[in-house]
């Protein structure tokens, strides 16, 4: 969509600069976005009276070190547009990571489809290029969009559904902490509905309620709920002191990524807030937030039983039976209020807590509330694509062509893998993954060259040889990972632009019974298979494929090793 370019004009951040702003035709009665900066710090804001707002900032002691004010003037701006662009620039600048943001609020509005939003979002790359030329931005726009700092930023703007969940949970947290009632909130949602974004947003608002300063001169009904929540949290903190808050990530890889994000964003969040399940035993918390709660382990089918037993006894007393307590029990015991996200369809191994254990754990909580996220935020195919995948695995769906999503089947595995590599060169953040149908012979090797020289390639399909991921950590971040094949354990919780999924030898289709079949002899993830019944194993494997196939924002490419499954999938996926 064509749109006029926003013009950025620079003024000295002092009295003389204020007079120049007043004399500008949009200086006193027009919506603008602005940035106030020195060599190391920056503040991003929006207002409908920039001269008045500049005068307020000049009187703010925190702004005294800032030197210049850069104002985005645009004849097409309106209130909705400047709120949206302000939010986007805060998130981009945070992820660019060359300035310390003086903002702590991350914008004020929720994400919504106001009139011609696409046109205003199309202005952002142009604005960003101007900021790069002015040395106010460093990384390229597309590179930032692909970064974990951007995707997991506490400055992510929430949609209406996410905003309602966020604010209602924050309301309940303060009410229950004030009344001393042990409570929990459960956020339900399928893959791609933004559950992690909501968790991080809740954490950010709990930590920064007393460190936010914003333009209240033209508050509208959209911003007012946020101001009310902020005031409520700030009042509680004033009366009781800072909240002790932590965020639990069961999976090691994503936990490391979030520690890096929190360390680099410099907005009140710290890496020490990001913890694993065993670390909850070290403190008592006002609030614990738990991502991917369906991946919390129980005592069965784990390789660290000694540590598990010690942690259970540390929390519940010497001599207790660790079989009687899950890591969810640990968390609920150590927190006055618990917020967790849960999706049973993403449970992928036998060590994950069961539905029964999940229900029993909440018997120790007095008040439990539920929120539901349904809007698909990751995948361009939307919720229709996610439901289509379920229908394919349930063998009860009619073939259809998905709009706005690149969903393709490949008969040649090497063509698929190389097409994903080409996409990665064009867009970045594209990876190939597979079901765990081959042993990890290359484990422990230090390089791809070493693996190939020793003939330790893990996967052979159609005469082509491939290598499993060299490390379980940061598979989406390492550039060399494009030459590796990942699995469910390296990809769950991350976003990609495109994903290539190899259906392994362990999964097939039976045309006589119209059902998906699993061959356990061709499945090599011992931690998943241990103790699982044949039906449980089938559910874990199917859940893994659905999760992997939902990682791609723009598209998903598919190959299947077994002929019956190949012919079945080709009915539903264009080739």
């Amino acid at each position: 969509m064509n749109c006029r370019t926003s013009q950025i004009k620079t003024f000295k951040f002092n009295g003389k600069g204020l007079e120049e702003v007043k004399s500008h035709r949009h200086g006193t009665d027009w919506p603008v976005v602005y940035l106030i900066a020195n060599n190391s710090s920056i503040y991003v804001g929006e207002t409908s009276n920039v001269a008045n707002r500049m005068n307020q900032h000049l009187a703010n002691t925190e702004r005294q070190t800032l030197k210049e004010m850069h104002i985005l003037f645009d004849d097409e701006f309106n209130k909705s547009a400047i709120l949206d662009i302000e939010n986007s620039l805060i998130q981009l600048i945070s992820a660019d990571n060359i300035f310390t943001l003086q903002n702590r609020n991350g914008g004020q509005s929720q994400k919504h489809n106001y009139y011609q939003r696409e046109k205003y979002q199309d202005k952002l790359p142009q604005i960003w290029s101007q900021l790069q030329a002015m040395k106010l931005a460093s990384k390229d726009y597309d590179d930032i969009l692909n970064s974990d700092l951007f995707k997991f930023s506490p400055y992510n703007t929430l949609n209406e559904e996410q905003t309602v969940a966020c604010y209602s949970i924050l309301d309940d947290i303060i009410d229950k902490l004030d009344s001393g009632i042990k409570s929990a909130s459960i956020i339900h949602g399928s893959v791609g509905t933004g559950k992690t974004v909501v968790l991080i947003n809740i954490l950010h608002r709990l930590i920064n309620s007393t460190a936010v300063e914003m333009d209240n001169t033209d508050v509208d009904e959209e911003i007012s709920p946020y101001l009310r929540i902020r005031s409520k949290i700030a009042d509680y903190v004033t009366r009781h002191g800072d909240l002790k808050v932590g965020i639990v990530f069961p999976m090691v890889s994503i936990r490391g990524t979030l520690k890096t994000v929190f360390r680099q964003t410099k907005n009140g969040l710290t890496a020490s807030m990001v913890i694993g399940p065993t670390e909850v035993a070290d403190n008592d918390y006002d609030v614990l937030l738990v991502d991917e709660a369906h991946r919390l382990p129980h005592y069965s089918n784990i390789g660290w039983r000694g540590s598990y037993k010690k942690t259970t006894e540390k929390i519940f007393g010497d001599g207790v039976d660790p079989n009687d307590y899950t890591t969810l029990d640990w968390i609920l015991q150590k927190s006055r209020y618990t917020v967790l996200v849960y999706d049973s369809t993403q449970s992928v191994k036998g060590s994950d807590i069961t539905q029964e254990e999940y229900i029993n754990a909440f018997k120790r909580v007095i008040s439990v509330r539920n929120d539901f996220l349904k809007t698909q935020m990751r995948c361009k195919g939307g919720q229709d694509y996610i439901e289509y995948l379920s229908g394919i695995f349930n063998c009860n769906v009619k073939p259809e062509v998905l709009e706005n999503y690149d969903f393709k089947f490949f008969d040649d595995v090497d063509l698929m893998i190389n097409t994903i590599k080409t996409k990665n060169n064009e867009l970045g953040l594209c990876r190939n993954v597979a079901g765990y149908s081959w042993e990890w012979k290359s484990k422990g090797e230090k390089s791809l060259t070493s693996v190939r020289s020793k003939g330790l390639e893990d996967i052979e399909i159609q005469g082509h040889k491939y290598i499993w991921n060299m490390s379980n950590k940061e598979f989406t971040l390492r550039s060399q990972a494009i030459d590796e094949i990942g699995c469910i354990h390296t990809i769950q919780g991350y976003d990609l632009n495109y994903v290539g999924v190899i259906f392994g030898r362990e999964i097939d289709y039976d045309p006589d019974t119209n059902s998906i079949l699993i061959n356990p002899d061709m499945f090599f993830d011992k931690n998943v298979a241990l103790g699982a019944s044949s039906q449980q194993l089938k559910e874990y494997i199917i859940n893994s494929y659905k999760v992997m196939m939902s990682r791609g924002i723009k598209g998903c490419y598919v190959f299947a090793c077994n002929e019956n499954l190949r012919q079945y999938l080709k009915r539903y996926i264009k080739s």
Side-chain angles (χ1 to χ4, degrees):
M1 182 181 293
N2 294 325
C3 59
R4 300 175 191 173
T5 302
S6 302
Q7 297 296 323
I8 304 176
K9 188 171 177 59
T10 299
F11 304 86
K12 292 294 183 183
F13 186 56
N14 55 27
K16 182 180 178 181
L18 175 58
E19 293 305 313
E20 291 179 7
V21 170
K22 287 180 179 178
S23 66
H24 191 279
R25 67 190 182 96
H26 288 330
T28 56
D29 187 23
W30 195 258
V32 302
V33 179
Y34 61 88
L35 306 89
I36 319 173
N38 58 24
N39 290 332
S40 59
S41 298
I42 197 166
Y43 180 91
V44 183
E46 56 76 31
T47 183
S48 294
N49 189 330
V50 68
N52 182 56
R53 188 65 175 136
M54 184 176 181
N55 193 43
Q56 292 175 352
H57 281 304
L58 286 169
N60 185 328
T61 55
E62 189 178 2
R63 307 281 178 264
Q64 295 303 306
T65 61
L66 304 180
K67 302 299 183 184
E68 292 182 322
M69 189 167 190
H70 313 277
I71 305 175
L72 280 71
F73 293 111
D74 192 311
D75 291 342
E76 298 180 324
F77 275 174
N78 55 56
K79 183 63 175 179
S80 290
I82 61 173
L83 283 167
D84 194 20
I85 291 172
E86 177 211 27
N87 287 330
S88 296
L89 286 179
I90 289 172
Q91 190 180 359
L92 288 162
I93 289 170
S94 171
D96 196 30
N97 205 34
I98 63 170
F99 285 102
T100 298
L101 268 166
Q102 289 193 2
N103 298 75
R104 302 303 276 280
N105 60 309
Q108 306 165 21
S109 67
Q110 69 187 35
K111 184 184 296 179
H112 66 283
N113 289 319
Y114 57 87
Y115 179 61
Q116 292 187 323
R117 182 174 190 263
E118 182 182 352
K119 179 179 77 172
Y120 291 103
Q121 283 291 303
D122 283 346
K123 291 176 183 282
L124 280 170
Q126 303 167 354
I127 293 170
W128 193 253
S129 294
Q130 292 181 64
L131 293 176
Q132 283 181 302
M134 299 166 68
K135 307 300 182 185
L136 294 171
S138 173
K139 301 181 182 71
D140 288 341
Y141 182 79
D142 287 340
D143 290 341
I144 289 180
L145 297 188
N146 284 338
S147 71
D148 285 325
L149 266 174
F150 183 84
K151 294 178 185 299
F152 295 114
S153 170
Y155 299 121
N156 266 300
T157 310
L158 306 182
N159 64 21
E160 181 177 1
E161 185 179 69
Q162 294 167 330
T163 300
V164 169
C166 178
Y167 289 179
S168 60
I169 290 169
L170 287 168
D171 248 338
D172 197 55
I173 287 173
I174 301 305
D175 288 345
K176 295 304 191 297
L177 290 180
D178 252 337
S179 62
I181 298 175
K182 195 174 188 66
S183 307
S185 282
I186 306 167
I187 304 172
H188 304 267
S190 63
V191 292
T193 50
K195 301 182 295 295
T196 304
V197 169
V198 173
L199 272 192
I200 294 172
N201 203 285
I202 290 171
L203 175 62
H204 182 248
R205 295 185 191 281
L206 287 172
I207 294 300
N208 289 307
S209 63
T210 59
V212 179
E213 185 263 342
M214 61 175 67
D215 182 6
N216 296 339
T217 59
D218 52 357
V219 169
D220 60 22
E221 61 181 16
E222 181 182 300
I223 302 171
S224 295
Y226 170 66
L227 296 179
R228 183 187 62 78
I229 291 292
R230 186 194 67 166
S231 177
K232 185 173 182 175
I233 299 168
D235 175 67
Y236 181 89
V237 171
T238 300
R239 289 185 287 113
H240 298 282
D242 290 339
L243 293 166
K244 178 66 176 177
V245 183
I247 184 165
V248 180
F249 290 89
M251 296 177 294
V252 174
S253 179
I254 198 77
R255 188 159 70 235
T257 297
L258 265 295
K259 280 183 176 290
T260 299
V261 169
F262 282 20
R263 188 180 297 115
Q264 293 182 354
T265 49
K266 305 168 188 171
N267 53 16
L269 305 183
T270 64
S272 62
M273 294 175 181
V274 181
I275 58 177
T278 59
E279 295 172 271
V280 303
D282 298 333
N283 292 285
D284 291 309
Y285 291 86
D286 294 302
V287 182
L288 277 176
L289 304 107
V290 189
D291 194 33
E292 308 272 6
H294 40 272
R295 297 304 317 278
L296 288 170
H298 52 200
Y299 190 57
S300 301
N301 306 333
I302 59 171
W304 44 285
R305 289 193 172 198
S307 174
Y308 191 108
K309 187 175 187 299
K310 288 180 180 178
T311 303
T312 304
E313 291 183 338
K314 186 175 182 179
I315 295 173
F316 293 102
D318 293 340
V320 297
D321 187 347
N323 285 295
D324 293 338
Y325 299 93
T326 68
T327 47
L328 178 57
D329 291 308
W330 299 354
I331 290 164
L332 294 172
Q333 181 71 14
K334 298 297 289 185
S335 177
R336 297 172 62 199
Y337 197 107
T338 306
V339 184
L340 54 90
V341 299
Y342 186 78
D343 178 10
S344 61
T345 65
Q346 291 192 60
S347 179
V348 297
K349 59 195 304 186
S351 60
D352 296 345
I353 60 172
T354 65
Q355 187 83 8
E356 182 181 4
E357 289 171 327
Y358 173 80
I359 293 170
N360 286 337
F362 283 100
K363 292 179 180 178
R364 67 176 66 251
V365 178
I366 297 172
S367 173
V368 181
R369 62 184 308 282
N370 295 272
D371 289 275
F372 297 86
L373 302 180
K374 299 178 181 178
T375 303
Q376 178 58 226
M377 298 298 294
R378 175 192 298 126
C379 175
K380 296 293 185 184
Q383 192 62 26
D384 288 345
Y385 172 69
I386 303 302
E387 293 174 1
Y388 191 52
L389 289 183
S390 294
I392 290 173
F393 284 101
N394 291 334
C395 303
N396 63 358
V397 68
K398 293 180 179 180
E400 62 178 277
V401 176
L402 297 167
E403 299 291 338
N404 305 315
Y405 196 66
D406 192 3
F407 192 31
K408 291 180 182 174
F409 187 90
F410 284 72
D411 285 295
D412 184 329
V413 65
D414 207 50
L415 178 60
M416 184 192 80
I417 286 174
N418 284 312
T419 303
I420 290 292
K421 289 182 179 180
T422 300
K423 290 290 185 183
N424 189 64
N425 290 335
E426 296 171 355
L427 304 169
L429 212 60
C430 301
R431 295 290 184 267
N432 289 293
V433 295
Y436 220 121
S437 188
W438 296 268
E439 293 183 83
W440 193 3
K441 295 184 295 185
S442 65
K443 185 176 182 179
E445 293 295 321
K446 302 300 182 184
S447 69
L448 296 173
T449 302
S450 172
V451 172
R452 292 181 181 121
S453 67
K454 296 178 181 179
L456 294 176
E457 293 92 339
D458 305 286
I459 300 167
E460 184 169 354
I461 307 171
Q462 294 179 334
H464 303 286
K465 295 182 178 181
Y466 308 106
I467 301 168
W468 279 126
N469 46 279
M470 299 296 294
S471 170
N472 280 331
K473 295 182 179 180
E474 299 187 330
F475 177 72
T476 63
L477 301 181
R478 292 183 294 106
S479 58
Q480 78 169 37
I482 191 59
D483 294 316
E484 305 167 2
I485 306 296
C487 67
I488 180 61
H489 307 308
T490 61
I491 212 70
Q492 192 170 20
Y494 291 95
D495 291 349
L496 298 169
N497 283 321
Y498 274 82
V499 63
V501 179
I502 299 172
F503 280 72
R505 301 170 298 174
E506 87 288 10
I507 186 167
D508 207 345
Y509 171 76
D510 185 345
D512 295 328
T513 61
N514 184 34
S515 62
I516 299 296
L517 300 178
I518 297 299
N519 181 356
D521 294 334
M522 287 287 106
F523 186 70
F524 292 93
D525 192 333
K526 296 178 181 178
N527 289 328
V528 172
L530 184 64
S533 67
S534 58
Q535 182 58 36
Q536 287 173 326
L537 182 61
K538 179 177 179 177
E539 289 176 3
Y540 294 147
I541 290 173
I542 288 176
N543 284 350
S544 295
Y545 279 107
K546 287 196 286 189
V547 169
M548 289 190 289
M549 294 174 77
S550 66
R551 297 299 96 185
I553 297 170
K554 299 176 184 293
C556 172
Y557 295 162
V558 174
F559 171 85
C561 289
N562 288 320
E563 181 63 24
N564 282 345
L565 182 61
R566 185 180 303 142
Q567 296 306 319
Y568 171 72
L569 292 175
K570 287 169 71 172
R571 298 182 204 167
Y572 304 101
I573 311 172
K574 64 182 179 181
S575 59

